Amino acid sequence: MWTTPIICLYLSFNFISGASILRSGTCQLQGRFRLNGMYQAGDVILGGLFEVHFLTVFPELSFRTEPEPPYCEQFDMASFQQAQTMVFAIDEINKNPNLLPNITLGYHLYDNCVMLGMAFRAALSLVGGTEESFSNLSCTGPPPVIGIVGDSNSTPSIAISSVLGLFRVPIVSYFATCSCLSNRKKYPSFFRTIPSDAFQVRAMIKILRHFGWTWVGLVYSDDDYGNHAAYSFLQDVQVFGGCVAFSEILPLDNNRRDIQRTVEVIQASTARVVVVFSTSTYVLPLMDEVVLQNVTDRQWIASEAWATSPVFHTQRLLPFLGGTLGIAIRRGEIQGLHEFLLHLRPSNDQRNNMVRIFWENMFNCRFNIGGRGEKICSGQEDLSSTDTSYTDVSELRASYNVYKTVYALAHALHDLMQCEEGRGPFSGNSCADITNLQPWQLVHYLQKVNFTTGFGDHVSFDENGDALAIYDVMNWQPSSDGSIIVRTVGVVNEGAATEKVLTLDEDALYWNFETKKPPRSVCSESCPPGTRRARRKGLPVCCFDCLPCADGEISNTTDANECTICPDDFWSNPDKDRCVPKEEEFLSYEDPLGISLTSASLLGTCICALVMIIFAHHRNTPIVRANNSELSFLLLLSLKLCFLCVLLFIGRPQLWTCQLRHAVFGISFVLCVSSILVKTMVVIAVFKSSRPEGKGAMKWFGTAQQRGTVLVLTALQVAICIVWLSNASPTPHKNNQYASSKIVYECAVGSVAGFAVLLGYIGFLAAVSFLLAFLARNLPDHFNEAKFITFSMLIFCAVWIAFVPAYVSSPGKYAVAVEIFAILASSFGLLVAIFAPKCYIILLHPEKNTKKAIMGRETQKK
């Protein structure tokens, strides 16, 4: 936060000093920063910023004397290789007759020592120049540098671009990934050949999604690179449905206590996957503490800033970091680089002191003897005998980006020189003047750069100055000597022609777990189909319980948030993962209950037919003749119809069966009951005619009157049925009220009033029959037909009185079964009570089937 005020104070001081000197007509350099660098003259100079040292040491400030300049320690061979790659690229361009002909590129490189203050000193030295004095106050001619390659870190890039962007000095970074640098309003002249962290975060999310890791830990450095990457990650991980179990910050001062607490959080968490956004400078102390606390069984995901760093590739870290997955910038190949690196030689030029420092660190010697026992550097040592990251060109990533950066500037400069006067992009269609080239003019051409490297990679910038997003997926695997070797196992290509952005060779992956398989890292296991997620209170959305779907609801996907209600005619299966047609319920012929009732119906029909045969065969016997054979046959016929009408109640309801079942039932029972009623009336009439005062009773109730009475009573029921069926006919109906999981097919009566009149009419006739039979129960024995009728009607009335509550309380097909049972029970009751005694006499005691025997009983009583 103090970067901008410090920069402003520094620039104000320089401007004031410059103004005071301006009056003398010559600019004098007030002082030099002590910086490590490399220099080569040329027509056009490119600047470079590289982190050749890891550490900057600042002297103590006493405020009594001028402070000593800071100095750098811990030489980094890999970063020096990147600096030499820039030198190689410029040398290669100068030898290429097709690129920048007649122009010689030079370079001026500085070491930023991974420190903002040093990087800013170096940047100001590049744009301000290093000449002791300057008398050309008109400021014509080329600037000290036309563009800068670097910085490698995001925080220095932000600070430098904030200032140099005001003057539109092009800065092309090869390793600064902060997504904030894509802001064109703040950083109008910043470009980069490495994808933004926004793309890196998306690449990591694709890996997490691929392996189903939704419960992850996050560790990041407390700088612009770490903070912006963590912010993007926290947003994007929620979009794909993941959650962050913990979020820890790595201290910039590598405070041991803070690092210990961070490792304790990692060890205590249930998250098996840990994502780390940081440079290797801050990750290395973290991993040292991981080793001390013996934190294993974790899957590390490395950002590109440390995914290929060789400082971790040791035997000591293999048990803890083996199997790490990392995002790395695209690997490339640079023909001739290895030979160029081996031919490097130190010089005495102070502006090339970085080479001398490299040489001393490489061969552990000194050019200037400072103490006893120190080896003297001759400058002729053989680099081919060394084996360090400087000479290793098998994994060129950052160096390959440096190579592309230099070529991007060269191509932009080449396009600038190809401009034809009058067709230029600047005011008045003018072109840039190479003798008075301004950095802002190069920015225009950088935005339009478009070329392909010798390795086949396309280089261009989007409207934000970002490069095409393409990464290699790295896997840390054990090598033959027990250390770590990094292998490429996949690619993340945002510009892929196919929709498959992530490509992984899963057979080549190494997993540092006992199972040798990817770990599970979820807060809650996935909810299977048939359940839904219910979030646990106070925890992230990834922590949930799985609740089964309610009846009639399903979920056919994993981790469903809600269950779906099945359509009306469907119901959930037992697993609640599929809607199936609802079970159809009706009394069928295949149902055991339906089979039983059908058998009883046919049995009753057969018994009626058998009784009719018996009565027909013995129609001239006294017992048949005495019981009015014509009415007996009519009663048997009506009972047979009562038994057969049961078949209309069984089976899937159809329109015709619904209309016929109650009509046939009502007419059959009226025919039956009216026959019994007439039969009762005949018994009473016969009794009265046997007495002197009633000798004329039978002439008013002869055969014609009996038939007519039965016909009229039955016709009345037929009329009731016709009116009912005409106005509100019964229809098939799907009833969902009894059970939601079933469709009960039943016949809706249509008109309740019509159905009630039909039943009421039967009940009325039955009540009259019962009353008359009851009153005639004490007639002489040879007229005991009234007793049988009384008993049969008692059974009939009892059955139908009991039917009403049973029918109302029975659901679905059981209501139909109750109605059938009532029909069968009442029919069997009438059949047995009226005809069983007669058949008993006819078949088993034929000696009693005589007029004398019947009359004898009366005589004995007399």
Side-chain angles (χ1 to χ4, degrees):
M1 64 181 291
W2 294 102
T3 301
T4 303
I6 292 171
I7 293 170
C8 293
L9 287 172
Y10 181 86
L11 291 176
S12 300
F13 172 76
N14 279 277
F15 287 143
I16 293 170
S17 300
S20 63
I21 297 168
L22 188 60
R23 300 186 186 96
S24 65
T26 303
C27 284
Q28 295 290 332
L29 191 65
Q30 298 298 297
R32 287 180 179 274
F33 295 121
R34 192 169 79 179
L35 299 169
N36 303 321
M38 292 190 295
Y39 176 80
Q40 177 178 295
D43 299 327
V44 177
I45 304 296
L46 295 182
L49 298 173
F50 297 88
E51 49 179 41
V52 180
H53 284 86
F54 276 135
L55 185 63
T56 303
V57 179
F58 287 92
E60 292 185 7
L61 300 178
S62 64
F63 299 100
R64 293 190 180 95
T65 59
E66 181 180 352
E68 291 292 324
Y71 60 94
C72 303
E73 293 180 345
Q74 297 186 15
F75 195 87
D76 182 17
M77 293 293 177
S79 295
F80 185 71
Q81 182 201 72
Q82 298 163 18
Q84 282 299 310
T85 302
M86 178 177 175
V87 175
F88 169 79
I90 290 175
D91 182 66
E92 191 177 64
I93 292 168
N94 288 336
K95 293 177 181 178
N96 187 347
N98 298 319
L99 186 60
L100 292 177
N102 304 320
I103 293 291
T104 300
L105 287 180
Y107 57 82
H108 202 164
L109 280 59
Y110 283 126
D111 180 9
N112 67 16
C113 301
V114 199
M115 184 59 64
L116 173 60
M118 296 295 288
F120 204 82
R121 286 174 170 86
L124 292 179
S125 297
L126 289 175
V127 297
T130 58
E131 297 179 7
E132 293 292 340
S133 63
F134 187 71
S135 58
N136 184 7
L137 302 182
S138 62
C139 294
T140 58
V145 293
I146 194 63
I148 297 177
V149 176
D151 190 290
S152 59
N153 288 326
S154 294
T155 298
S157 295
I158 292 169
I160 295 168
S161 298
S162 298
V163 176
L164 301 190
L166 299 174
F167 307 99
R168 300 298 190 269
V169 176
I171 301 171
V172 187
S173 176
Y174 57 92
F175 219 63
T177 59
C178 180
S179 57
C180 59
L181 287 166
S182 298
N183 189 330
R184 229 42 184 152
K185 292 182 179 180
K186 288 186 177 182
Y187 314 106
S189 60
F190 181 83
F191 298 84
R192 52 184 158 191
T193 54
I194 185 172
S196 161
D197 278 338
F199 298 113
Q200 179 184 193
V201 167
R202 289 209 294 265
M204 285 189 171
I205 294 297
K206 292 185 186 301
I207 293 175
L208 297 179
R209 178 182 293 167
H210 178 81
F211 291 108
W213 295 330
T214 58
W215 187 237
V216 299
L218 175 64
V219 179
Y220 59 97
S221 55
D222 193 14
D223 53 14
D224 291 300
Y225 169 72
N227 289 323
H228 283 88
Y231 177 76
S232 297
F233 182 82
L234 289 171
Q235 286 187 318
D236 290 359
V237 76
Q238 294 179 3
V239 174
F240 106 91
C243 298
V244 175
F246 60 86
S247 180
E248 293 294 317
I249 300 176
L250 293 176
L252 295 183
D253 59 357
N254 292 330
N255 183 281
R256 176 73 186 279
R257 183 172 296 176
D258 292 339
I259 293 174
Q260 283 179 337
R261 187 189 59 78
T262 298
V263 174
E264 289 170 358
V265 171
I266 293 173
Q267 192 167 26
S269 174
T270 58
R272 305 276 301 279
V273 176
V274 183
V275 178
V276 182
F277 289 100
S278 177
T279 60
S280 55
T281 306
Y282 307 116
V283 178
L284 190 55
L286 174 71
M287 294 309 166
D288 289 337
E289 188 62 31
V290 166
V291 174
L292 289 175
Q293 296 193 27
N294 193 29
V295 180
T296 58
D297 203 32
R298 291 294 183 276
Q299 177 64 48
W300 298 91
I301 307 293
S303 66
E304 42 76 27
W306 68 284
T308 57
S309 178
V311 298
F312 301 99
H313 303 166
T314 63
Q315 294 179 355
R316 184 175 70 100
L317 292 177
L318 177 61
F320 307 93
L321 294 181
T324 294
L325 288 175
I327 296 294
I329 56 178
R330 180 72 165 165
R331 186 190 72 84
E333 294 180 4
I334 305 175
Q335 296 296 327
L337 176 62
H338 187 254
E339 292 76 14
F340 179 84
L341 295 175
L342 295 178
H343 284 87
L344 179 66
R345 289 294 178 269
S347 69
N348 293 322
D349 188 349
Q350 185 60 31
R351 290 181 297 183
N352 282 296
N353 69 328
M354 192 187 295
V355 179
R356 294 171 66 88
I357 296 171
F358 157 74
W359 205 266
E360 291 177 345
N361 281 273
M362 175 65 80
F363 295 104
N364 195 22
C365 61
R366 292 290 180 269
F367 284 101
N368 299 318
I369 299 300
R372 293 182 179 181
E374 289 186 340
K375 182 181 176 182
I376 301 175
C377 297
S378 65
Q380 299 303 315
E381 286 82 0
D382 185 11
L383 283 172
S384 61
S385 64
T386 62
D387 183 17
T388 64
S389 55
Y390 170 74
T391 56
D392 182 10
V393 295
S394 60
E395 290 288 327
L396 295 178
R397 298 184 186 277
S399 296
Y400 183 54
N401 266 11
V402 171
Y403 184 78
K404 291 191 292 185
T405 300
V406 174
Y407 266 88
L409 287 165
H411 276 276
L413 190 58
H414 181 82
D415 294 341
L416 180 146
M417 293 180 59
Q418 299 301 312
C419 176
E420 297 180 11
E421 197 62 40
R423 294 185 177 181
F426 308 118
S427 60
N429 296 326
S430 62
C431 295
D433 182 6
I434 192 63
T435 61
N436 190 26
L437 185 60
Q438 300 300 313
W440 61 266
Q441 294 172 322
L442 189 61
V443 172
H444 171 80
Y445 289 95
L446 262 176
Q447 191 69 60
K448 299 180 180 300
V449 158
N450 194 334
F451 66 96
T452 303
T453 67
F455 187 59
D457 284 341
H458 180 71
V459 179
S460 62
F461 301 107
D462 63 14
E463 65 276 7
N464 298 319
D466 291 325
L468 182 68
I470 181 169
Y471 294 96
D472 288 338
V473 180
M474 314 306 295
N475 185 221
W476 293 15
Q477 302 181 3
S479 63
S480 57
D481 62 356
S483 61
I484 294 175
I485 185 171
V486 179
R487 299 192 186 280
T488 303
V489 293
V491 176
V492 179
N493 188 357
E494 291 270 355
T498 62
E499 293 184 359
K500 192 173 182 180
V501 176
L502 173 64
T503 303
L504 280 177
D505 181 7
E506 297 200 34
D507 294 333
L509 287 169
Y510 169 75
W511 301 104
N512 194 25
F513 299 92
E514 291 183 3
T515 61
K516 301 302 178 184
K517 293 181 180 180
R520 290 282 294 166
S521 188
V522 295
C523 182
S524 299
E525 290 296 333
S526 296
C527 291
T531 62
R532 64 175 180 87
R533 301 199 304 185
R535 182 175 174 180
R536 294 175 185 170
K537 189 175 182 180
L539 294 176
V541 294
C542 297
C543 302
F544 49 82
D545 294 315
C546 298
L547 301 181
C549 291
D551 291 338
E553 297 180 354
I554 65 157
S555 65
N556 53 12
T557 60
T558 302
D559 287 333
N561 290 319
E562 296 292 340
C563 296
T564 305
I565 299 176
C566 290
D568 289 341
D569 290 346
F570 290 83
W571 195 251
S572 55
N573 64 344
D575 294 332
K576 306 292 178 65
D577 60 356
R578 188 163 52 92
C579 285
V580 295
K582 285 184 178 180
E583 179 186 346
E584 296 180 352
E585 182 179 279
F586 55 87
L587 192 61
S588 68
Y589 289 105
E590 292 80 17
D591 190 288
L593 182 59
I595 294 172
S596 301
L597 295 175
T598 301
S599 301
S601 170
L602 295 177
L603 177 64
T605 304
C606 293
I607 292 174
C608 287
L610 180 62
V611 172
M612 288 182 72
I613 293 172
I614 294 172
F615 267 53
H617 183 70
H618 298 86
R619 61 185 178 276
N620 295 319
T621 60
I623 199 165
V624 174
R625 291 170 57 86
N627 285 281
N628 197 332
S629 59
E630 185 173 343
L631 285 178
S632 296
F633 283 116
L634 188 59
L635 179 58
L636 286 170
L637 177 62
S638 62
L639 285 173
K640 184 185 293 186
L641 292 177
C642 290
F643 283 118
L644 290 177
C645 79
V646 166
L647 300 179
L648 294 174
F649 287 81
I650 302 174
R652 182 170 184 151
Q654 307 280 339
L655 179 61
W656 67 274
T657 58
C658 287
Q659 291 175 336
L660 285 180
R661 64 169 56 170
H662 288 109
V664 172
F665 154 71
I667 293 172
S668 299
F669 265 89
V670 165
L671 180 61
C672 176
V673 175
S674 61
S675 298
I676 293 173
L677 176 60
V678 171
K679 200 175 183 66
T680 305
M681 294 172 66
V682 169
V683 170
I684 295 173
V686 169
F687 170 72
K688 287 187 176 182
S689 64
S690 65
R691 297 192 177 190
E693 63 273 13
K695 289 187 180 290
M698 282 301 298
K699 70 177 181 179
W700 299 106
F701 209 71
T703 303
Q705 287 83 356
Q706 295 172 22
R707 295 172 183 168
T709 303
V710 172
L711 182 62
V712 171
L713 294 176
T714 305
L716 187 58
Q717 182 74 309
V718 171
I720 292 173
C721 291
I722 291 174
V723 173
W724 177 27
L725 295 179
S726 300
N727 294 321
S729 173
T731 55
H733 172 64
K734 293 191 294 186
N735 194 330
N736 295 318
Q737 302 299 319
Y738 298 123
S740 300
S741 60
K742 297 179 181 179
I743 298 177
V744 178
Y745 284 92
E746 60 185 13
C747 288
V749 295
S751 172
V752 177
F755 186 52
V757 170
L758 181 142
L759 292 178
Y761 183 57
I762 296 174
F764 170 73
L765 294 179
V768 173
S769 298
F770 173 72
L771 182 61
L772 292 177
F774 180 77
L775 295 176
R777 70 187 185 284
N778 292 322
L779 295 177
D781 283 352
H782 60 285
F783 293 113
N784 64 357
E785 181 75 6
K787 292 183 178 180
F788 298 138
I789 293 174
T790 301
F791 184 64
S792 66
M793 294 313 299
L794 183 63
I795 295 173
F796 184 89
C797 293
V799 167
W800 285 101
I801 290 173
F803 159 77
V804 174
Y807 181 82
V808 171
S809 61
S810 298
K813 66 179 181 181
Y814 298 103
V816 178
V818 167
E819 188 171 359
I820 293 175
F821 181 80
I823 294 172
L824 293 176
S826 57
S827 299
F828 274 112
L830 294 176
L831 179 63
V832 171
I834 295 176
F835 293 100
K838 300 174 180 59
C839 291
Y840 174 78
I841 293 174
I842 293 172
L843 298 176
L844 299 179
H845 294 281
E847 71 279 4
K848 295 181 180 181
N849 190 9
T850 61
K851 185 175 181 181
K852 183 178 179 180
I854 295 173
M855 297 301 293
R857 288 195 298 272
E858 183 181 2
T859 305
Q860 289 173 3
K861 285 185 178 183
K862 289 180 180 180

